[in-house]
Every structure is written in structure tokens, then in C-alpha cells.
Amino acid sequence: MMEQYFALKREAGDCLLFYRMGDFFELFFDDAKAASQVLDIALTSRGEHGGDPVPMCGVPVHAAEAYLARLIKAGCRVAIAEQVETPEEAKARGGAKALVRRDIVRFVTAGTLTEEALLEPRRANMLAAICELRGTIGIAACDISTGRMELEECASEGLGAALARLGASEVVAPEDWEGAPPDAIPRARSQFASEEGEARLKALHGVATLDGFGAFTRAMFAAAGGLVAYLDHVGRGTLPFLLPPVMRSGAERLAMDEATRASLEILAAQQGGRQGSLVAAIDRCVTGAGARQLAEDLSAPLTDAPAIEARLALVHYFHEEPLLRADLREVLRGAPDIGRALGRIVAGRGSPRDLGQVRDGLSEARRIRDHLQARADRPALLEELLPSLGGHGALVDLLSRALVPSPPTERGQGGFIAEGYDHALDELRAASGNARRAIAALEARYRDETGIAALKIRHNGVLGYFIEVPARHGDRLMAADSGFTHRQTMANAVRFNSLQLHEEASRIAEAGGHALAAEEAHFEELTGAVNGAREAIAATAAALARIDVAAGQAERAAEGGWCRPRIVEDCCLEIRGGRHPVVEAALARAGERFVANDCALSPADRLWLIGGPNMGGKSTFLRQNALIVLLAQAGGFVPAESATIGLVDRLFSRVGASDNLARGRSTFMVEMVETAAILAQATERSFVILDEVGRGTSTYDGLALAWAVVEAVHGANRCRCLFATHYHELSRLAETCEALSLHHVRAREWKGDLVLLHELASGPADRSYGLAVARLAGVPARVVSRAKAVLDKLEQGRAQTGGLAAGLGDLPLFAAIPDEPAEARDPLRERLEALDVDALSPREALDLLYQLKRDAMATGD
Ligand code: ADP
Ligand code: MG
């Protein structure tokens, strides 16, 4: 057995090997150690190898999916080795001791899942293959759960951004390529051959040329070759669902690099997870497919005004029609995820239930089409989508006639083909039904004949049908002429067979076997029919998803009073009453209100420098404007009273290192690398937000860098930019930079406390509120007043000599500052604090209370 195991393990490579033994998948050696850790199951051992016991653990086959899910989540890949012959076949082949043959039937990896239980309904699951060809990087990506496939190419600097956009759960790359990301799965270089890739795609889609799908390049084909080869390997020769590739070009999409995506928390919050992200705050989709489409829209917003307007018009249409929207969403809510059901069927992993889902989803789509078609004034995008919703008449009809209303997930048991679809099948079922009835009649007759009222005919998996009587009646039926043959004696029952029972049972078994075979044949024919219409079904799924996104965006807009943005070509950004959707929602949960703010950038005033106290709302303001741009270009309404958005080609967001400790890896170096990327890439059409950049180092360095960055952004990149800073000194830049203006978040001191108004105003911040913020944060009063003394001295010194520390010489030492004044202490309070209440009797307590009250009245005035 070990020999077979090692051979399979060699094939499995670095995947965990699930080795089928009876009702279990067993793991051995290091695989067993790793799996038992991740799954928290017992590690045992079995036999020995090289003198040492062999570590082993196992999972039951029927529960394997749940275990697989956990292993995949933990980043493992698994090879499934099944028994590919029965023990009888093995014996016939190789004698009594022959080992059952096993083969790896499938690899389960994060990027190649189709199972409902292993996939997240609201997230696409991308697999990407990347490689370099003569200095250009080709990227091929697919979501095999729905068949989507796209090809693109980029320069090597753009790889990180492209991968960040795709968010692939698995990436494969040539093993000898040094530019591959560290977590990429290495594959043989020979698999990334462009001719082979092109040929595979042509064969897959039955075309002589791929020109009809797009102007693909060699690098893209090379990556596609690597992708298809990997899918081939993982599926052991069965390719999953792949739609014709779509060509992606960087220019059609709003470019955002990885740092920007992370900082804007588009699909995941910085601490990880969807909660607190942009998508979580705006997603009102009622279907998984809609949510996946929305996530894709947000990760790759458009740059083309007509395409954006088309989406906006659809959102607008549903926004103006709340009743239609409500009806539509109600229907969509019940519609199954046909895209993913189709993905399983095409991959050969479909179930009767998946067929049922396709049937129900397609007929819902037709209903939706009829509903929408009955209305006038439809926007162009809807008009374009409607035809995809219908057109499956014959298939829906076939599936409706063929399948029972809710088909099972298991196909081995049969029972999914509806009555009336196949007369031969109906007759087989009738025959076994008749035999069942005959058995019931037999039971009644035997009771009569034997006079044993407790006699029963029962069934189990081992004996099949049998007659059972209580033990005390057993002897009576044992008689040779009774017509019964003994089968089994239990503690309190005896079991028999009879000729008639045997006959009826065989009729059931035979009819059942034929019926199962008939259902199996129908299953093949139905999946074939679905397979034949796969591209049209995928188009229906995509159209439903797009409609769900638009209706969901309209719903969100109606909920929050959002507006339709105006998209223009000039380099402006005029937002009235803008809000941050995530911060606003968090404040609302705490019962607080968000203060809306305006932003007005134009070519003549394109760089805003924003000062003001910590916690004043600078970062929030910066981000809300970036998010509004992103939402608008994704084709949705925006959280503002009005918004005019000059199309943005690239969006950058940077947060100074010291403000960004949560990210852990952030250092001043990272901050500077990320800033350098902006200076190299931002164009006049770009929008940049810089939050406390330069803060990650000592004052003078940081200030100098911030100064130089602002100058460069203003003079060289000439992009629209919001720059939040705590350096007052930067205000001086307003004197030399003509398109720069000064702004601040307002605060007011009230009775010695700082009140943050979260309101943006023009002009420089008048003073630093650092000390007030410190007090707000609970820094002891004596430390704050000491800081105030230091600050006064510093400012005095700078006024006289221009040097920052010049005035510090005659500053009295810290210890010389008096401690809290004695009268601030409260003797009554101190006595109470010193009191041991448990040590007092009730009487003593009462006396003490009188005493305290007397003292209080004596000291008060
Ligand atoms: P800064 O960057 O100026 O230090 P932040 O933008 O991080 O300030 O905001 C600090 C906190 O103030 C936020 O977490 C939020 O609770 C609150 N806040 C920010 N902007 C607003 C606003 N416009 N309206 C209401 N509260 C706000
Ligand atoms: Mg901040």
C-alpha cells in the first residue's frame, strides 16, 4: 500500500493527499501533521515506515466538504485520490491480496472551486496566470465558478496594481521567473507558450481566429496557455467552464494601485474582512451574482463617460420608480445563482439541484423581462440587457417537464425526474410501486395465516427485505414446511425470508436499477442541453446581475439621499454636501450626525492644503472625496447633495506612515516609495489624496519632504490633489503656488474644552490645537500646562532667532512646576476611598454617615 501511496503523493506534489480508504480520506506523514493542526483532529499512527510509526489522520468521506473548506481557507491545496475500482474488480484482476487501484481524480485549490459550500456567494473567485514575454507581462484570469475569463497585459510596474484589482485567490507563474510574486504557484515554463495558449482558446471556443473577441497579444496568449494548462492539471483533463476571453485594457479603467485600494478600504477594511469596507456600506444587492458584479465595478471603475452614463441612467430609472424597484428586487431575491450552478454543470460536477436552479433562474429571468418590457421609456442599457433575459423557452420547457419541483443534490439515489416525462421510467416506478404494494399485501396475508399479529416485513441495507417476528414466535416459523427460511436470530426477534417475498423484492430491485439507469441517462441529456446553451445562460446571469446592481444602487441612494453625479471632461471636482458612507454609517450607529462638506477643485484651484486639529476630520474629508469619485465612475449615485466630476484617469491615496501604524509593515520607506509612484504616474487627469505625508520622520525632514512633494504635485503633475497636513509651515506655499489654496477643519475652544466641528472652512488653520486635543484625550492637566509653557518658549525663541530650540535655555525645569494645587484635593473623598465598607457593622455605618454629613457641612460654605 505504501508504494501506491508514495506514487500518488509524488503526483500530488505540495498538495495534501486525501487517500481514500473505505469511508474515510486518510492523510499520512507530514500531510497528516499539517491537516490535524488546521482541522484540529486527532493525529494517530498506522503501521511503520523506516522503523518509525507513520503519522495518520482522517476525515469521513460524507463530511469531507466541510473539512476541505477549512483546509482551503487555511491556504492548503488538496489532491483527492479515489478508489477507481471495487474490491471485487481488484481481486478479479490481481488475486485475493490485490490492492484496490486509486487515482487522483481532482485537485481542490482555492482558485478552482465550484462547490456552493466552498465558495462565498458575494465574492468572485479568481484564478490568475501571469508570465513575462519580452518585457511585457501577460495576465490571464478566470472565475471558473461562472466562466468569466479576461486577458490583459501590463508593464512590470503595473503587475501589483493589476493583481490587486483582480484579488485572485490563486496565482500561477513560470517557476523560473524572478519577477513572480512570492506566493505564486510555480509551474513549468513550457506551459506558458503563446502558440499553445492561442490554440487551446481557439479549440475551446470552436473558432478559427480569436480576433472576434479582441486584439490579444502574445503575452496574453502565453498567460492563457499557463492558465489552461493549470486548469487541465487540476481537473485531471476535464476543463471547467470558460467563456470566450474578454480583453481588458488599462486605459478603460480607473487605475488604482495596491496601496490606494488598501487605504480606501474598497472591498476589505484595513484590519481585514468586509466589515467596515466601502462595499459593505453600499451593497444592497439581493443576489450573490449582483454582489459579485458590484465588487467588480468598485474594483475597476470606468473612465469612459458614455459607459458611466449608461449605468447611471439605469440606476436613475430604478431610483425614480420605487414600486417597480421593490417588485423587481422581490423577484430577484428568490432567483437562484444560475451562473454558479452553470459553472458546476459545465465542469462535470453538477447535480440535479443545479439543473433545477438553472430552470428556476431562467424562468425568473423571463418573468423579469416581461415585467420590464411592459413599461415605457426604458434606458438604453436596460434595452440592451432585456434580450439576454429571454430566449430560453425550449430549455426552460424541457427542464420544467423533466425535473421534479425541487430536485435533490445527490444524483445517485434518483428521484429527480418528474412523472410523465418518460413513460418507460414511469412504468418502472409503477412496477416497483406495485411490488411494494404486493409486499404490503403479503405482510397482511402472513399475519392472517400464522396468526402472529406482530409479524412485519421490513427492509435494511444488509438483508434487503425480510419477515420479522418476535422471538417467542420464532420456533413456529422454523418448521421445515412453514414456507419460511430462517435468516437471522436477534435478541428479541427472528428474521425469515420466503419465496414470494424474494420474488417481489427482486422485482423492486430490478425495476429500481433500471429506473436509476434511466434517470442517469436523462441527467446526462439534460446537462448536455444546458451545456449547449451555456453562453446564452451566462449572458442571462450577467444581465440579472447588472440589473440587481443598478436596483441595489438605487435602493442605497434612496436610503441615504444620494444624488446622481454629473460626469464632465474638465479637470474639476465640485462636490456639495459630500459625506463618507462608511464613517457616516458608523456615526449613525452611535446616534451621531455626520457633517457634510463641500469640495471645489478646478484647474485654477486644484490643490487644497488642509490643516486643523487632530481628529478634526481631515482624513475623512480626503477619503470621502476619493470615494465619491470612485462610486461615480463605477456608475452609481454618490453620497452628496450634488457632484460634478471631471473624469479621473488614476486615483491615488496615501497615508503618512505614522498615521498608518495599523498596517504594520508601514515604514517611512514604504511611505516614500508610494509617494514616489505618485510623482511618477499622476497626470493632469488624476486625483490624489495625500494624508499627513512626511509625518513618518523627524520634523525637519518630514516638513522638507512634504514641502517638496506639494511643489512637485502642483507644478509638475498638475493633478487635482487634497493634502492634509499638520505642518503650519506649508501654508507659506500659498504664496508661490498659484493653484493652491488653504483650508482647515474648524474647531472651537469652549470653556477650555476643544469642540471639533468637523466642518471645512477656507483659509489657514489659525493655531495648533494639539494641546487641547491632548486634554481631550485625558492627558493630566499638569502635563498639558507644562507643554503649554514649553510651547510658549519655543515660539518666543523662534520669533527672536529663527531657531526652534533657541528659547529653551531659561525654561524652568519640569520639577519646578508646582503639582496640582492642594485645594483640588477633597478630604471627604479621600476618607471614602480609604473606607473598608465590609468591615463596618450596620450601626457603625450609620454613625459614620452622620459623621461624614456633619464634616461635609462644616467644611463647605
Ligand atoms: P483627522 O484626520 O483630522 O485627525 P479624522 O478624519 O480621522 O480626523 O476624523 C476623526 C473622527 O472624527 C472620525 O473618526 C469621525 O468619528 C469624526 N469625524 C470626521 N469627520 C466627520 C464629519 N464630517 N462629521 C462628523 N464626524 C466626523
Ligand atoms: Mg488624519
Side-chain angles (χ1 to χ4, degrees), residues 726-744:
H726 67 291
Y727 291 125
H728 282 294
E729 293 81 352
L730 292 182
S731 323
R732 303 271 313 268
L733 279 163
E735 295 160 17
T736 51
C737 300
E738 85 289 347
L740 176 152
S741 60
L742 303 175
H743 303 262
H744 64 277

Side-chain angles (χ1 to χ4, degrees), residues 431-433 435-436 439 465 503-513:
S432 79
R436 271 176 238 273
I439 286 177
Y465 284 94
E503 272 170 13
E504 298 300 346
S506 321
R507 276 173 52 199
I508 292 179
E510 192 181 340

Side-chain angles (χ1 to χ4, degrees), residues 619 659 691-692:
S619 302
D659 246 33
D691 194 354
E692 308 275 12

